[in-house]
Amino acid sequence: MLNFFDTIPIPTIVVNNENNIVFINQNGLRFLELTTQDFVLQPIIYLLPEIEIGELKNKAHFTTTYKNSIGVNEYINIQFDSTTIQNIEYKLFYIKEFSPKYLDTDKSDAENTIELQNKLLFSKNKELEQFTHIISHDLQEPLLSLISYSKLLEDEYQDKLDEEGKIFVQFINKSAIRMQNLIFGLSQLARINKREDILLTDISNLMQEVKDDLSSIINKYNAIITFENLPSIICYPTYIRLLFQNLISNAIKFSKQGIQPKIQISYSERETDWLFQVKDNGIGIDSKNSQQIFLIFKRLHSDKDYSGNGIGLAHCKKIIEIHNGKIWVDSIVGEGSTFNFTIPKKI
C-alpha cells in the first residue's frame, strides 16, 4: 500500500499515528544509508532524536539532527506533511538536504567553513548516488522492454510489415539501443566520483594491460601503440587505466582511412607533476573545437562517419579533475592530435 512512496524522488519517511516508522522509500534508504530493517516499526525519535512530535502540526519546515552511518550527528532540513490513506493518517517527513545552518561557535571561521563545505559536498554526493541509481536501474527497465518488444515485433511480424513498417521498427530498436548506451555512459561518468584507494602505480605495466584490453580493436585496425619506460606515479589506478583506454581507442577510431594508426605515449617529469602525452596520426581536430570536445555528449561527427556517444572525453576530463590535474589537446586537422594531461605528484 505504501510502496507508491518509492515513486517520490525526495527521501521520504512515513510515520503512523503511534509515531512509529512504517515505511522509508528507496531514496530515503540510500540518502540515510539504511536498510529496510533498520528503523521500520521503531519510534521516529530513534532516527531523529531531537524532534518534538507535538509541535510538528505548526511546522511545514524544520531542521533537526540525524546520526549518520559513522556515528556523527548531522543537521538535516525536513519538510513535514501528513496524508490519509484508507482512513489511516500518516505523517510524512521529506528530507530536503543536509543543513548548513548550524555552526560550532567554538570553532574558527575557517574550520566552520571547511565543515560546512564538507557537509554540502556529502549532501551533493548523496544526490548524485540517487541520480546514478535511477540511471542504472529505473531508466534501464523500460528501455529493455522497448528493445525486446521492438525486436519481437520485427521477428514475429516480419511477413506482415511492409518495407516502411520494417524501417520504422528498426529505427525504434536502434534508437532504444543508442539511449541504453547513453544511459550506461552517464552512469559510468557519475560513478567516477566514488574514489578508490590512491596507489603507487607502474604506468608501463598498466599500459600493457590497456593494450591487452584493447587487443580486439588494435588488431582490427592494425594499430601500433608505442611507449617506453613510463614512470610509477601516485594515482587512482582504475581511473587512469580508463583514461588511457578512452584516449587510445579514440585515437584508433578517428584514424585516417587507409593509414595505419600510430599512437605514441610519452611523459616528462616536472617539479610538481607528471606531464603525459598521447600522440596520434589521425584526422585531427579543428582548434575551435579544442575545448568543446571535453563536454558531455559533444560530438563533431555523425554516427554514419564515426560511432560513439560523446561521453569518452568527458570521462577523461573528470578523471583528471579528481586527480587535480589538467587536460588539453594540441591538434592540426589532417595531421593528428596530441592529448596532454598532468597528474600532480601530491594528489
Side-chain angles (χ1 to χ4, degrees), residues 236-301:
Y236 299 103
T238 301
Y239 294 154
I240 293 298
R241 182 170 174 169
L242 177 60
L243 171 72
F244 277 112
Q245 284 179 345
N246 280 332
L247 292 178
I248 291 172
S249 60
N250 263 10
I252 295 174
K253 181 170 67 174
F254 294 103
S255 58
K256 290 181 285 189
Q257 189 171 5
I259 303 296
Q260 183 180 32
K262 295 181 180 179
I263 298 100
Q264 181 180 9
I265 293 92
S266 59
Y267 81 98
S268 58
E269 181 177 4
R270 307 195 298 187
E271 183 177 355
T272 60
D273 61 20
W274 304 93
L275 171 63
F276 289 88
Q277 295 181 307
V278 179
K279 182 178 181 180
D280 66 56
N281 62 339
I283 62 175
I285 300 165
D286 194 312
S287 58
K288 69 181 181 182
N289 296 316
S290 60
Q291 296 297 321
Q292 297 180 43
I293 58 172
F294 295 103
L295 300 177
I296 191 168
F297 297 143
K298 182 63 180 178
R299 302 190 63 215
L300 305 182
H301 308 278

Side-chain angles (χ1 to χ4, degrees), residues 118-135:
N118 286 338
K119 287 181 178 179
L120 292 175
L121 180 61
F122 186 74
S123 177
K124 293 301 180 184
N125 282 339
K126 285 292 182 184
E127 292 176 7
L128 182 60
E129 288 179 14
Q130 295 169 32
F131 172 70
T132 304
H133 181 83
I134 290 172
I135 287 176

Side-chain angles (χ1 to χ4, degrees), residues 116-175:
L116 172 58
Q117 290 174 340
N118 286 338
K119 287 181 178 179
L120 292 175
L121 180 61
F122 186 74
S123 177
K124 293 301 180 184
N125 282 339
K126 285 292 182 184
E127 292 176 7
L128 182 60
E129 288 179 14
Q130 295 169 32
F131 172 70
T132 304
H133 181 83
I134 290 172
I135 287 176
S136 301
H137 297 87
D138 300 351
L139 294 183
Q140 289 280 13
E141 291 180 8
L143 271 177
L144 287 173
S145 297
L146 184 58
I147 292 170
S148 298
Y149 281 105
S150 63
K151 186 63 178 172
L152 186 64
L153 182 62
E154 184 179 21
D155 293 341
E156 295 294 326
Y157 293 88
Q158 183 78 13
D159 297 336
K160 298 181 180 180
L161 292 172
D162 58 20
E163 288 305 314
E164 190 175 38
K166 292 176 184 178
I167 292 173
F168 289 161
V169 172
Q170 291 171 3
F171 181 79
I172 292 170
N173 187 261
K174 288 180 180 178
S175 297

Side-chain angles (χ1 to χ4, degrees), residues 60-72:
H61 303 273
F62 64 94
T63 300
T64 188
T65 57
Y66 156 71
K67 183 171 288 188
N68 67 22
S69 60
I70 59 174
V72 176

Side-chain angles (χ1 to χ4, degrees), residues 6 8 10-13 24-34 95 130:
D6 274 331
I8 298 176
I10 300 172
T12 304
I13 303 168
I24 303 176
N25 71 356
Q26 291 298 314
N27 283 324
L29 294 173
R30 287 191 290 271
F31 189 89
L32 297 173
E33 297 183 336
L34 302 174
I95 301 172
Q130 295 169 32

